[in-house]
Amino acid sequence: APISLARQVERAVDALLPTGECNLAMVAKLVEIHPRVLQKHLKAQGSSFATILQSTRLRLAQYHLSNSTIDLTTLAMSLGFADLTAFSRAFKQWTAVSPSRWRQQAD
């Protein structure tokens, strides 16, 4: 069965986040669709690039915080955040707890 466009975008985000090159244009290039067309198709499916980026970052952050000892700054950078503060702020908005608290609760 063909993979949904949203799933293709999620896979592209997974691949691009650690490179620091994760943006709409690069993801569109990987899935071989013009960025505006990609946005239009995702919107028609009730999604968006920003939503997929956020959910992928959250999923990866939760996984690494629960299953590895990666330091928080390295994790923040690998998820495409400019610094630890930006990552911590976003993570707390998503989960209502800080990344370090999430890690403690996962132990």
Side-chain angles (χ1 to χ4, degrees):
I3 300 170
S4 73
L5 182 60
R7 184 70 183 116
Q8 289 178 52
V9 170
E10 191 177 300
R11 286 182 174 177
V13 168
D14 272 344
L16 289 170
L17 272 175
T19 70
E21 297 282 320
C22 188
N23 56 53
L24 178 64
M26 289 299 292
V27 169
K29 189 174 184 177
L30 275 183
V31 297
E32 300 176 339
I33 298 176
H34 189 278
R36 282 194 300 268
V37 175
L38 175 58
Q39 287 178 305
K40 186 177 169 183
H41 285 307
L42 289 173
K43 186 175 183 180
Q45 295 176 4
S47 189
S48 71
F49 174 72
T51 302
I52 293 171
L53 176 61
Q54 178 179 318
S55 65
T56 302
R57 281 174 156 174
L58 174 59
R59 177 179 47 79
L60 291 171
Q62 289 173 324
Y63 173 82
H64 286 291
L65 290 170
S66 298
N67 299 298
S68 77
T69 57
I70 187 172
D71 72 272
L72 295 180
T73 301
T74 303
L75 178 57
M77 298 301 165
S78 74
L79 294 174
F81 287 94
D83 55 41
L84 178 57
T85 304
F87 167 62
S88 294
R89 188 179 313 118
F91 192 86
K92 196 163 186 173
Q93 283 180 327
W94 300 332
T95 65
V97 296
S98 69
S100 53
R101 169 74 66 196
W102 180 276
R103 179 171 271 164
Q104 288 169 353
Q105 292 172 346
D107 285 343

